[in-house]
Amino acid sequence: MGPAELVQAAAMARRFYLEGKSKIQIAEEFGVSRFKVARVLETALERDLVRIEIRVPAELDAERSDALRARYGLRHAVVVESPAEGVDESPDPENLGEVAADLLGELVTEGDVLGLAWGRSTIHMAAALDRLPPCTVVQLTGVYDAGTAERGSVEAVRRAAQVSGGEAHPIYAPMLLPDPATAAALRNQTGIARAFDYFDKVTVAAVSIGSWEAGISTVHDMLTEEERGHYATLGVAAEMSAHLFDAEGRRVGRDLGERCITVEAERLRRVPEVVAIAGGLRKGEAIGAVLRSGLVTSLVTDTAAADFLLTEFAPGPRPALERCDPDAD
C-alpha cells in the first residue's frame, strides 16, 4: 500500500473501529462503494495496520470459557485460573466464589427469588457479594451441622438478603437426618415449610458439586462407613445438594433424599437458571457427571477442571440447557 492508500485505510479503520460508523456511512464520506470499504478494512487487518485485542481480567480464561459453554450446551460458563500450586489437592479455589458473586450480580434481576444450596463454594460466593438487585433469598438445603449455621449456609442466605435488601428464608435444620420419618416431620415445621413453599418460585439457584470422596463431598463425610460403601456400589461419582449421580449423570441412591432436607431434583430442574460452582482436577469427573444430569445451566470453574472436561470427559446425550428460555415469549 502506498502512502495515500495507507492514510485512507487508517482513516476508514478509525471511523469503523473507533467511531462506530457503518461501512455505508464510510463509503458515502469517501465517495467509494461499501465493497471497497470492506476490502480496505480487510487489508488493514492483514497488513497489521489495525490490531484487534480482546482483553478480559487476567484471572478469566475467555477461550476455555467459550469452549466449555459450547461443548456442554451451557447458558454461561466462566473459567478462572487455577492456583499456581496444589492444583490436584485444592478443589474449589476461593476465587471461584468471588467470580460467581459477580456472575450472580449479572443474572439476578429485581423481583427474582434466589436459592442458595449448602456448599463451601456457595458460602465463599455469598461472602463476596457486593451487589444484588432487590430479591428474595431462600435456602435450598439444610446445613452440614446445625451447630455451624451461623458460619454456613444460614449466614450465606442472610448475607445475600442483606446485600439485596430482600427477604431471607433460612432453614434451621441439618441436611441429613437419621431416618425418613424425622426428615418428614422437620419438613412440616412452620419455618422449614415456609422455605419449601418458595422452592417452586426460585428463578436463580447457586449450588456446589462434590466428588464422592472424603473432604470433597459433604454428604460423603456425614454418612457412616457402611452407608458410604453401599452408595459406592451403586456407582456414585458426584453429589449435589444431597442428590447422588453416577458418571453418566443418572441419579442413584434416591433413598438418601428421603432422609435429607433439600430441594427435590425435579424442582431444581424447573429453575430457569442453576449456577454450579466447583473446580479443581479432583472434581473434574463429578462436575462432568452433574453436567450430564441436565440439572445445571451455568458453571463457574477453574482451568484444571475445565481442561479435564474439554479433553478427557465427553458430554452426555442430554444437554445441560433443558429449560425454556426465560426471555422467550
Side-chain angles (χ1 to χ4, degrees), residues 29-69:
E29 179 181 347
F30 287 88
V32 297
S33 72
R34 69 177 187 276
F35 302 107
K36 180 174 181 179
V37 173
R39 287 196 299 272
V40 169
L41 292 174
E42 184 177 345
T43 301
L45 284 171
E46 292 173 350
R47 302 289 181 86
D48 275 346
L49 187 63
V50 172
R51 296 183 181 180
I52 298 176
E53 184 178 10
I54 301 172
R55 303 182 65 182
V56 295
E59 70 270 15
L60 298 183
D61 192 310
E63 185 175 351
R64 284 184 175 93
S65 298
D66 188 55
L68 203 59
R69 178 200 58 76

Side-chain angles (χ1 to χ4, degrees), residues 174-183 186 223 227 256 258-260:
M175 182 190 295
L176 180 67
L177 281 303
D179 54 71
T182 304
L186 276 178
L223 296 173
E227 289 170 329
L256 181 65
E258 298 175 3
R259 296 170 51 196
C260 292

Side-chain angles (χ1 to χ4, degrees), residues 17-190:
Y17 292 108
L18 299 183
E19 298 176 12
K21 291 188 176 181
S22 69
K23 293 174 183 176
I24 293 176
Q25 290 174 314
I26 297 170
E28 290 175 351
E29 179 181 347
F30 287 88
V32 297
S33 72
R34 69 177 187 276
F35 302 107
K36 180 174 181 179
V37 173
R39 287 196 299 272
V40 169
L41 292 174
E42 184 177 345
T43 301
L45 284 171
E46 292 173 350
R47 302 289 181 86
D48 275 346
L49 187 63
V50 172
R51 296 183 181 180
I52 298 176
E53 184 178 10
I54 301 172
R55 303 182 65 182
V56 295
E59 70 270 15
L60 298 183
D61 192 310
E63 185 175 351
R64 284 184 175 93
S65 298
D66 188 55
L68 203 59
R69 178 200 58 76
R71 183 175 176 85
Y72 288 89
L74 295 165
R75 185 172 286 128
H76 304 284
V78 182
V79 178
V80 305
E81 289 291 336
S82 297
E85 299 179 358
V87 172
D88 293 344
E89 295 78 18
S90 303
D92 297 343
E94 289 194 19
N95 61 343
L96 291 186
E98 298 170 4
V99 173
D102 289 339
L103 179 60
L104 278 193
E106 291 183 63
L107 298 181
V108 176
T109 60
E110 185 172 353
D112 275 346
V113 176
L114 171 63
L116 300 181
W118 159 266
R120 298 177 185 89
S121 55
T122 52
I123 290 170
H124 290 152
M125 178 205 68
L129 283 170
D130 59 11
R131 63 184 177 95
L132 272 180
C135 65
T136 298
V137 186
V138 60
Q139 193 170 324
L140 297 178
T141 63
V143 298
Y144 175 46
D145 182 339
T148 64
E150 296 301 314
R151 303 186 299 278
S153 45
V154 169
E155 181 56 31
V157 168
R158 287 176 174 168
R159 166 67 182 168
Q162 180 184 32
V163 172
S164 73
E167 295 181 2
H169 294 277
I171 293 177
Y172 295 96
M175 182 190 295
L176 180 67
L177 281 303
D179 54 71
T182 304
L186 276 178
R187 290 189 202 105
N188 289 326
Q189 288 190 356
T190 303

